[in-house]
Amino acid sequence: MARGITGSFFLNQTVTLPAANASGTFVQAEIDCASLVNAPKGQAIEIEEVDFTVQRATLYTSDVESMVVGNGSIDFQLTDLNPGTSFVRGDSQSLIASGSLNIDQSNCIGTYVSDLYPDSYGKNNGFMVVNDTLYLNAVSAGTAIGANDVYVNVRMRVKIVKLGPADWTSIALQTVSSDQ
């Protein structure tokens, strides 16, 4: 079992969906974890919790009516392998967390849906990361972004852990199974 080297701390990142960004146009941001992961020493990151927020630029509000041009959604995923300009399927082993803000623009109603979070894995069993980069992707679907940029923010509670041989074997098996 992984042994904590540090207490919990937070990592944050933001993807900016530019004003008038067309539906289906992905934007990606990277989270550099190279200084936190050290494979030769068995050091990894355990992601304990992930939260997303979606805000309209300039005022940092959640005014869903102004975020988009029409009915649609703003979707986002956090992965530990680079999906390029797309999303990974829900059963991908590289998917850490994902969610969606579904927007009924004409009625000014936003419904937030979280698909997958590390807290789903149980206490003391978060998502183990041995890669030196995480990827946050976002896209608007079914509608374009409105007159202002839209920020998709991720905030992760993480800690640095020392992995034992059984942990490394589990991660290797998980990686191989996701390549099938």
Side-chain angles (χ1 to χ4, degrees):
M1 184 168 163
R3 181 176 45 86
I5 295 175
T6 67
S8 297
F9 59 96
F10 291 94
L11 295 176
N12 303 292
Q13 183 57 280
T14 299
V15 164
T16 303
L17 293 168
N21 193 52
S23 172
T25 305
F26 283 80
V27 179
Q28 183 182 78
E30 296 181 359
I31 303 162
D32 183 11
C33 300
S35 64
L36 306 173
V37 173
N38 187 334
K41 291 185 177 180
Q43 186 173 301
I45 300 170
E46 179 180 349
I47 300 177
E48 302 172 309
E49 186 177 297
V50 176
D51 290 304
F52 293 103
T53 58
V54 181
Q55 297 175 305
R56 187 169 63 98
T58 66
L59 299 175
Y60 307 113
T61 64
S62 297
D63 176 12
V64 294
E65 181 181 19
S66 299
M67 287 182 185
V68 292
V69 175
N71 295 339
S73 65
I74 298 173
D75 305 302
F76 30 87
Q77 284 189 341
L78 178 66
T79 60
D80 71 342
L81 295 176
N82 189 351
T85 55
S86 64
F87 281 152
V88 298
R89 217 169 63 186
D91 63 348
S92 171
Q93 297 294 337
S94 70
L95 180 60
I96 299 169
S98 64
S100 178
L101 176 61
N102 298 304
I103 300 172
D104 178 349
Q105 196 262 354
S106 54
N107 292 306
C108 193
I109 298 171
T111 306
Y112 180 77
V113 178
S114 59
D115 299 325
L116 175 68
Y117 281 89
D119 356 357
S120 303
Y121 301 122
K123 184 176 169 70
N124 297 324
N125 195 18
F127 190 96
M128 298 297 176
V129 175
V130 294
N131 297 336
D132 58 1
T133 306
L134 299 177
Y135 302 91
L136 175 61
N137 276 1
V139 66
S140 62
T143 184
I145 296 297
N148 297 103
D149 293 348
V150 172
Y151 302 129
V152 176
N153 312 293
V154 65
R155 181 179 170 119
M156 298 172 280
R157 188 177 72 196
V158 303
K159 66 181 171 185
I160 299 173
V161 295
K162 172 107 172 131
L163 298 177
D167 300 312
W168 282 107
T169 303
S170 296
I171 290 170
L173 289 171
Q174 178 176 300
T175 302
V176 169
S177 72
S178 70
D179 291 340
Q180 303 298 323

